Amino acid sequence: MWHGIGRTGLLVGLMGMMAAGCGPSGKDSVVSIRVEGSDTMVNIAQAWAEKYHQAHPEVSIQVLGGGSGVGIASLVSGNCDLANTSRKMTEKELQEAQAQRGVEPVEHIVGYDALGVYVHRDNPIDEISIGQLAEIYGDEGTITRWSQLGAPPGCGIDKIVRVGRQNSSGTYEYFRSVVLGKRRDFKLGSVDANGSKDVVALVSRTPGAIGYSGMGYATPEVKMLRVSRGPGHPAVAPTVENAKNSTYPITRPLQIYTLGQPSGAIGEYLDWIKSAEGQEIVTALGYVALP
């Protein structure tokens, strides 16, 4: 029941009594918390909200996706209480929050994710390097066919179809920084999906496709490639253990941002997310819990 929310929102609790922001606390009042942001985290956020509301029916939690950039913009404008992000806020975003809200955003790491490189399950390729990914996705990249990576020319899927994310996505930003670096941008002509689940679904329907998404979105119709840092380095699978020990090259923290230090119902909710009970949900959905 924790899968498939995509870009749509979930309202947990009493929708008729929902109000924007946090309402007054008390036994007879409903406290409302609005969460927006990362599509990578939306399944975890939905599951957290459902579980927490079961134990705290007086807390109503609305969860919306849209991408890390959307969540950050909403936090800065004062339209949400918690911004889920799969990337860190930029210096410009931090300055905008300070200018508009008069308070500095605070980062809360709530888990980790190995960003998987997905291909169709029938693709004969099993591993890839960061440099090869850069030549597939990067501007003026030289790799356009699977046969350049060792696939048999007659396998029927030679042309590489690049699947990416929209530029409001934290996954987009993180993949670009790790794979392409600061001086290179994405090559034009990719198929850009709206959400993490959409990337995997598109790859599953396209034999020649390659895409990147959170490892928690894996399905039997796709496979995740082992990734190496380059020549002389082993290719490592995106697993929980390899994310924990940092041997997988594309491992990232998952964050929630608040405006200032949270208190009241929001602070209690964040404490619960970081607790053993909250972190059990992170593990159950295929991500990496806090140490």
Side-chain angles (χ1 to χ4, degrees):
M1 71 176 183
W2 291 344
H3 297 279
I5 188 171
R7 286 174 62 84
T8 60
L10 170 77
L11 181 59
V12 179
L14 306 175
M15 292 184 65
M17 300 180 70
M18 176 76 182
C22 290
S25 60
K27 294 182 179 180
D28 299 324
S29 64
V30 173
V31 178
S32 299
I33 300 175
R34 184 179 175 92
V35 184
E36 291 189 45
S38 168
D39 282 305
T40 297
M41 296 175 63
V42 75
N43 282 352
I44 303 176
Q46 177 187 356
W48 280 330
E50 290 179 352
K51 185 73 173 180
Y52 193 77
H53 179 68
Q54 290 174 4
H56 304 272
E58 75 283 1
V59 180
S60 177
I61 305 170
Q62 184 184 25
V63 177
L64 297 169
S68 298
V70 171
I72 291 169
S74 183
L75 184 73
V76 171
S77 63
N79 290 327
C80 75
D81 303 296
L82 303 175
N84 291 337
T85 75
S86 56
R87 65 166 175 85
K88 293 185 178 295
M89 288 182 70
T90 65
E91 189 63 33
K92 181 180 178 181
E93 289 167 338
L94 293 169
Q95 291 173 358
E96 288 177 351
Q98 179 70 46
Q100 292 189 36
R101 313 309 304 176
V103 63
E104 292 184 3
V106 176
E107 175 191 277
H108 310 269
I109 294 177
V110 293
Y112 295 88
D113 175 34
L115 186 60
V117 177
Y118 288 88
V119 297
H120 192 274
R121 64 182 178 186
D122 295 332
N123 193 314
I125 298 298
D126 293 316
E127 62 182 57
I128 199 165
S129 70
I130 294 292
Q132 289 169 334
L133 283 172
E135 290 306 305
I136 291 173
Y137 277 97
D139 190 29
E140 300 182 356
T142 58
I143 298 178
T144 59
R145 298 189 176 277
W146 289 110
S147 55
Q148 293 175 264
L149 298 175
C155 66
I157 60 167
D158 201 24
K159 182 180 179 181
I160 295 176
V161 178
R162 289 172 288 113
V163 179
R165 291 292 308 277
Q166 295 175 328
N167 59 14
S168 63
S169 161
T171 300
Y172 169 99
E173 293 288 352
Y174 182 76
F175 187 84
R176 180 172 66 175
S177 68
V178 172
V179 173
L180 302 182
K182 296 181 179 180
R183 298 184 179 181
R184 198 171 185 182
D185 210 339
F186 282 103
K187 183 191 299 184
L188 297 177
S190 63
V191 181
D192 296 332
N194 289 331
S196 300
K197 183 182 178 183
D198 297 333
V199 169
V200 177
L202 184 54
V203 172
S204 74
R205 299 192 300 267
T206 312
I210 184 171
Y212 52 90
S213 186
M215 67 180 186
Y217 287 88
T219 70
E221 288 73 36
V222 295
K223 66 178 178 180
M224 291 186 286
L225 300 180
R226 299 190 300 274
V227 179
S228 73
R229 299 182 189 275
H233 294 270
V236 180
T239 65
V240 170
E241 188 59 36
N242 291 337
K244 282 183 177 179
N245 60 29
S246 299
T247 56
Y248 182 71
I250 322 179
T251 300
R252 57 182 175 169
L254 302 175
Q255 294 98 185
I256 294 177
Y257 280 93
T258 58
L259 289 175
Q261 288 292 348
S263 60
I266 296 174
E268 292 171 3
Y269 183 47
L270 272 170
D271 287 342
W272 177 85
I273 285 173
K274 297 176 185 179
S275 73
E277 188 176 9
Q279 290 299 297
E280 284 176 2
I281 293 173
V282 176
T283 302
L285 291 183
Y287 295 89
V288 183
L290 296 173

